[in-house]
């Protein structure tokens, strides 16, 4: 059972570089989310999607973009990486119950 | 202003002790409250609570919700070193999942042998 799959697991970026964090789920969930987690700060919502073609901003969207062209995939794009974006990123999906999380991407911007 | 407040933020106990973790919330359209356990990776689901006063139980873990006083507790009895983790509380205040889950900062629980 794959569940929610994120890639890559680790990445180091230089300031100003761009990258895409990939997320795919095989549970046919409509809702998908991107969170970032900083030490001692819990999980902060970056963007979410309620279905293919529909996305919206969460609590901390600045510096990020998303797209949702299919039910399965919800990539997160960083256009101009900044040190403040050093964090662990989690993708999650849910239907009406619990959210299920991917294994996370640890991103360092230097 | 935090919508979901967990306490304590950290807790160190000895193996065999019982612990109670707290989660209070303030949201407009409450739908459910969820507890997660996070070790050195992704949060894993423990409980989802929607109704007041009904205890959810799984082994040594149990949880209950009070919608009048807007809080939930997570109890762990006969703690083991494997219970060491960050416990996260999250509230769904969307009515349909549209706004995501709002998480507290978590309680970092350490069980000493």
């Amino acid at each position: 059972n794959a569940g929610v799959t994120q890639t890559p697991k680790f990445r180091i970026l230089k300031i100003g570089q761009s990258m895409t964090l990939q997320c795919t789920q095989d549970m046919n969930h409509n809702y998908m989310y991107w969170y970032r987690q900083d030490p001692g700060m819990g999980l902060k919502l970056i963007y979410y999607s309620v279905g293919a073609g529909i996305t919206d901003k969460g609590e901390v969207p600045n510096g990020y973009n998303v797209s949702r062209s299919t039910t399965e995939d919800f990539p997160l794009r960083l256009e101009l990486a900044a040190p403040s974006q050093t964090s662990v990123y989690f993708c999650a999906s849910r239907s009406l119950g619990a959210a299920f999380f991917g294994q996370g991407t640890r991103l360092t911007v230097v | 202003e935090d919508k979901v407040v967990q306490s304590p933020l950290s807790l160190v106990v000895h193996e065999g002790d019982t612990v109670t973790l707290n989660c209070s919330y303030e949201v407009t359209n409450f739908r459910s409250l969820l507890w997660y356990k996070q070790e050195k990776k992704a949060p894993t689901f423990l409980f989802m609570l929607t109704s007041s006063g009904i205890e959810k139980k799984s082994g040594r873990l149990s949880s209950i919700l009070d919608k009048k006083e807007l809080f939930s507790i997570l109890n762990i009895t006969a703690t083991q070193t494997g219970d060491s983790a960050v416990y996260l509380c999250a509230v769904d205040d969307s009515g349909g999942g549209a706004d995501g889950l709002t998480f507290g900062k978590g309680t970092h629980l350490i069980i000493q042998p």
Side-chain angles (χ1 to χ4, degrees):
Chain A
N1 292 334
V4 180
T5 303
Q6 285 183 239
T7 56
K9 288 188 171 56
F10 304 94
R11 183 72 186 267
I12 298 174
L13 278 182
K14 293 185 179 178
I15 294 172
Q17 285 186 321
S18 62
M19 76 163 294
T20 299
L21 282 66
Q22 302 291 346
C23 176
T24 187
Q25 53 98 3
D26 62 0
M27 296 173 282
N28 202 33
H29 287 165
N30 284 328
Y31 304 115
M32 293 188 75
Y33 310 94
W34 275 105
Y35 290 91
R36 61 177 285 172
Q37 186 175 37
D38 300 308
M41 296 301 293
L43 290 146
K44 299 286 189 185
L45 182 64
I46 305 171
Y47 270 95
Y48 66 94
S49 169
V50 301
I54 306 169
T55 63
D56 210 341
K57 296 177 181 178
E59 186 181 356
V60 289
N62 291 344
Y64 307 95
N65 271 303
V66 294
S67 60
R68 184 94 182 271
S69 57
T70 66
T71 298
E72 294 78 20
D73 300 308
F74 190 41
L76 177 72
R77 178 99 180 143
L78 283 71
E79 291 294 350
L80 290 170
S84 61
Q85 293 177 304
T86 293
S87 189
V88 179
Y89 292 84
F90 288 103
C91 177
S93 75
R94 72 188 293 216
S95 55
L96 294 177
F100 294 94
F101 287 81
Q103 289 302 300
T105 296
R106 183 174 294 276
L107 175 67
T108 302
V109 182
V110 296
Chain B
E1 184 176 327
D2 291 341
K3 289 184 182 180
V4 181
V5 179
Q6 291 186 245
S7 63
L9 292 180
S10 65
L11 184 60
V12 181
V13 300
H14 291 287
E15 209 169 15
D17 288 349
T18 293
V19 298
T20 298
L21 310 183
N22 303 293
C23 177
S24 64
Y25 62 91
E26 186 175 337
V27 299
T28 51
N29 296 305
F30 177 86
R31 179 181 174 92
S32 61
L33 184 145
L34 296 90
W35 284 98
Y36 286 84
K37 177 182 182 182
Q38 186 177 28
E39 296 170 271
K40 292 190 182 297
K41 45 189 178 179
T44 54
F45 173 72
L46 294 174
F47 299 113
M48 184 171 80
L49 303 151
T50 57
S51 302
S52 278
I54 299 175
E55 185 183 54
K56 292 279 183 97
K57 196 170 173 64
S58 176
R60 296 175 294 101
L61 278 67
S62 63
S63 183
I64 198 160
L65 174 69
D66 186 329
K67 289 168 73 174
K68 182 179 177 185
E69 300 297 330
L70 308 182
F71 77 92
S72 173
I73 60 172
L74 175 68
N75 278 323
I76 308 175
T77 59
T79 52
Q80 303 171 357
T81 54
D83 295 326
S84 295
V86 175
Y87 290 84
L88 295 165
C89 170
V91 173
D92 178 3
D93 66 351
S94 63
D99 293 328
L101 297 170
T102 301
F103 282 83
K105 291 185 169 65
T107 294
H108 187 190
L109 178 63
I110 297 172
I111 311 296
Q112 291 182 335

